[in-house]
Amino acid sequence: MPLNVHITPRRVIGQRSPMIYGHFIEHFHRQIYGGVYQPGHPLSDEDGFRTDVLDALRRIHIPILRWPGGCFVSSYHWKDAVGPERQPLFDKAWRVEDPNTFGTDEYVKLCRKLGCEPYICTNAGTGTPEEMSDWVEYCNLANEGRWARWRIANGFEKPHGVKYWSIGNENYGHWEIGAKSAEEWGRLVRESAKMMRHVDPTAELSAAAIHDTAWTMNLLRTCGEYIDWISIHEYWDMMPETNHPATYEQCMAFTDRIDHSVREVRGMLAALRLDGRIKIAFDEWNLRSWHHPNVHTIRQGVGKDSYLTPRDKNDDNSTYTMADAVFTACFLNAMHRHCDIVGMANFAPVLNTRGCIYSDDNGVVLRSTYHVFDLYVNHMGDTVVDLWAEGDMPQMTVPFKWGGERTVDCVDLLATAFSDKPGLAVAAINKDAENAHTLHIPLDAPSAITLLTLNGDSKDAYNDVGHEGVTVAETCLGVQEGCAEIALPPHSVSIIRIG
Ligand code: AHR
């Protein structure tokens, strides 16, 4: 039974920020060292950045890149990683030595090469308000004080102009170095924000939060007037200790209420009348959590085979299938629907680990999730418009990884228009692993229809070195009038360009 899809372009839901297509990179495993930053590698440029990785990132027009963590940041001291003398760091979060050869200046240089906004997450674990505000001095003051003068001495005459800053990373979590109570957190954020604003009143500040009312309501009551963003994170297929990826069907169960965190934080902001001013930065999200056994626990692994070697399992490209692509598209659709309050989202991470790009010594693999970003960034509009599906929405009941079942819609639809040109772009997701589903889209006028469909020959299709199991097919359906009929293949993500 086809779904009749009614789109009302004149009923605008909102303008989505391009920053909902943001990304995150951390000093973890092969994201920085052995990832994007490999001085001397044949594929690296004069600044040590892998040009194949840069090219892939440019193609998806990465708008903002959060750095340097993540858990890493909660015992990181930025001053060790600027200037000619770099102090190697024993990274107490991930228990490896970090040479600190990639620091603030290298990061800003990377962002300039990508044309993206820097977004620095500060150390609210062992760090202090002064260390955070010194970092803002280093990056944003023209030439006053020792830290701006140090940047100049390091060869950067002009300020780096870092607009986005996060105070802390998951300081609510027992796993985080320097974890805080809700009360401690409110005070630390307020004092940090004060000092950072005293340096640069134009900086936009976020603070680590969670969809937990005690933590976040206290934060908002204590610091609501000091912050511009509230930062939340979510991973669904949790595998930090055991690397046992959820099945396709279990991943579809994770799409149930995929936006619950946003709804809950939106409610808290509204309750305190802050929802018109403070935006949500969903600045770490991914279907799959990272695998790093025996470090997020009190009991630390002793031998490297128990805590370090297992991290290589994140590199198994067969893990990242059409399940990841379908989930990622469902998440992006949900964030578009909340574009009035979600101003940023950062896929965690962008490179290696669970990233949308995998790199090795010979080149890159564009995983299934990369192609979702490529489709959305390059073909979806910036204006979210009203869409409703008339008829019986097909549903499916799927197993929930942690027990029980969930019943979810088989089809997820989002309509967008363009502020700078005519036409519509509809993101149409078929989560159903077995059945195609057909859309009937009434057309106001004869319209050229183009269909771009991301898919593989099975729900478990993936991309790897020498193996392209997931591709985008582009089909011109010509000029249609009256009603366009579009078939959505099983386990697929499509963009329907209309007009
Ligand atoms: O698994 C990676 C970690 O997930 C990030 O470092 C942290 O921010 C989150 O807990």
Side-chain angles (χ1 to χ4, degrees):
M1 188 68 179
L3 276 175
N4 292 317
V5 177
H6 301 281
I7 302 170
T8 311
R10 292 188 306 282
R11 188 165 183 277
V12 172
I13 307 300
Q15 289 298 120
R16 66 99 178 95
S17 163
M19 295 200 297
I20 64 170
Y21 296 129
H23 289 274
F24 169 54
I25 196 165
E26 178 166 358
H27 289 235
F28 175 84
H29 204 229
R30 297 188 306 105
Q31 295 177 32
I32 299 282
Y33 306 108
V36 69
Y37 190 59
Q38 287 189 270
H41 189 282
L43 292 174
S44 290
D45 66 13
E46 70 284 358
D47 294 306
F49 297 110
R50 281 281 297 267
T51 53
D52 48 347
V53 173
L54 295 181
D55 290 345
L57 293 174
R58 288 186 186 115
R59 182 172 140 193
I60 55 174
H61 303 290
I62 179 170
I64 189 165
L65 182 66
R66 178 172 178 257
W67 170 82
C71 294
F72 167 81
V73 75
S74 291
S75 54
Y76 173 70
H77 297 290
W78 67 270
K79 295 169 184 173
D80 294 339
V82 290
E85 302 299 322
R86 302 295 174 95
Q87 300 301 325
L89 157 79
F90 180 71
D91 166 8
K92 293 186 177 67
W94 301 122
R95 300 183 58 212
V96 294
E97 182 175 82
D98 185 307
N100 268 327
T101 50
F102 184 96
T104 304
D105 296 331
E106 290 76 23
Y107 163 67
V108 170
K109 200 178 282 187
L110 171 62
C111 291
R112 297 306 174 234
K113 285 176 182 275
L114 294 172
C116 74
E117 287 286 350
Y119 175 29
I120 292 180
C121 183
T122 62
N123 172 1
T126 63
T128 65
E130 185 165 38
E131 183 182 39
M132 297 179 203
S133 53
D134 289 352
W135 207 352
V136 181
E137 286 190 44
Y138 183 85
C139 291
N140 293 358
L141 288 186
N143 51 26
E144 296 167 286
R146 63 186 294 187
W147 308 118
R149 291 171 183 272
W150 193 20
R151 184 198 70 246
I152 294 168
N154 290 332
F156 299 89
E157 183 71 28
K158 287 177 59 182
H160 287 327
V162 177
K163 180 177 176 182
Y164 300 97
W165 296 83
S166 178
I167 300 170
N169 176 77
E170 298 187 0
N171 302 83
Y172 45 79
H174 62 82
W175 57 85
E176 196 78 13
I177 289 173
K180 301 285 185 300
S181 68
E183 291 67 32
E184 290 165 336
W185 185 237
R187 282 189 51 78
L188 176 62
V189 170
R190 191 175 58 198
E191 293 313 305
S192 304
K194 266 166 53 178
M195 288 189 77
M196 294 166 86
R197 285 213 187 290
H198 282 209
V199 173
D200 182 356
T202 68
E204 293 203 17
L205 306 181
S206 78
I210 192 170
H211 55 274
D212 165 84
T213 47
W215 178 274
T216 298
M217 290 300 276
N218 178 72
L219 173 68
L220 292 171
R221 285 197 183 98
T222 311
C223 314
E225 57 186 319
Y226 292 87
I227 58 178
D228 309 286
W229 299 81
I230 192 159
S231 160
I232 57 175
H233 296 172
E234 193 156 358
Y235 298 91
W236 283 257
D237 187 13
M238 290 305 292
M239 295 187 274
E241 299 303 324
T242 53
N243 192 53
H244 181 59
T247 65
Y248 179 91
E249 288 73 15
Q250 289 172 333
C251 292
M252 294 308 104
F254 286 134
T255 68
D256 180 38
R257 299 183 317 114
I258 198 170
D259 62 348
H260 75 94
S261 296
V262 172
R263 289 175 184 275
E264 288 152 26
V265 171
R266 177 195 283 273
M268 293 184 228
L269 289 168
L272 296 175
R273 294 179 176 78
L274 293 169
D275 52 335
R277 188 176 61 76
I278 293 180
K279 286 202 179 288
I280 294 172
F282 214 128
D283 57 24
E284 273 188 43
W285 69 274
N286 195 320
L287 164 64
R288 316 276 188 189
S289 83
W290 308 2
H291 181 56
H292 38 61
N294 301 313
V295 283
H296 259 195
T297 59
I298 295 298
R299 182 181 51 80
Q300 296 289 311
V302 176
K304 292 191 185 316
D305 59 332
S306 71
Y307 73 88
L308 196 56
T309 312
R311 295 175 192 176
D312 292 338
K313 293 178 184 174
N314 291 289
D315 288 341
D316 178 355
N317 288 314
S318 67
T319 308
Y320 313 103
T321 69
M322 282 310 301
D324 300 74
V326 166
F327 179 93
T328 296
C330 288
F331 180 88
L332 291 175
N333 278 8
M335 294 309 109
H336 275 80
R337 295 185 193 106
H338 289 285
C339 63
D340 63 313
I341 202 161
V342 176
M344 181 194 313
N346 304 72
F347 192 66
V350 65
L351 175 67
N352 292 324
T353 315
R354 304 291 192 196
C356 62
I357 305 168
Y358 165 84
S359 72
D360 63 16
D361 208 37
N362 304 310
V364 296
V365 172
L366 304 179
R367 289 169 170 167
S368 64
T369 47
Y370 178 90
H371 294 289
V372 175
F373 282 99
D374 191 7
L375 280 177
Y376 274 69
V377 166
N378 290 304
H379 297 283
M380 289 295 280
D382 56 351
T383 307
V384 182
V385 299
D386 182 65
L387 174 150
W388 65 285
E390 180 186 15
D392 294 334
M393 169 62 76
Q395 295 197 309
M396 58 190 189
T397 298
V398 285
F400 189 60
K401 188 174 182 179
W402 318 127
E405 312 180 308
R406 293 290 189 277
T407 298
V408 297
D409 290 352
C410 292
V411 176
D412 187 311
L413 301 168
L414 175 85
T416 63
F418 299 83
S419 53
D420 60 353
K421 60 185 178 183
L424 297 172
V426 177
I429 305 161
N430 182 3
K431 302 185 224 177
D432 192 328
E434 309 299 332
N435 307 295
H437 292 285
T438 301
L439 308 180
H440 283 173
I441 307 176
L443 301 172
D444 293 338
S447 303
I449 309 288
T450 301
L451 182 62
L452 296 122
T453 298
L454 170 65
N455 210 346
D457 58 9
S458 87
K459 62 190 178 182
D460 300 322
Y462 62 91
N463 288 339
D464 201 348
V465 176
H467 172 80
E468 192 177 46
V470 174
T471 57
V472 175
E474 181 167 350
T475 311
C476 289
L477 299 176
V479 175
Q480 302 198 18
E481 53 185 303
C483 177
E485 181 169 283
I486 306 285
L488 303 179
H491 51 73
S492 68
V493 177
S494 296
I495 305 286
I496 308 164
R497 286 299 316 275
I498 301 171

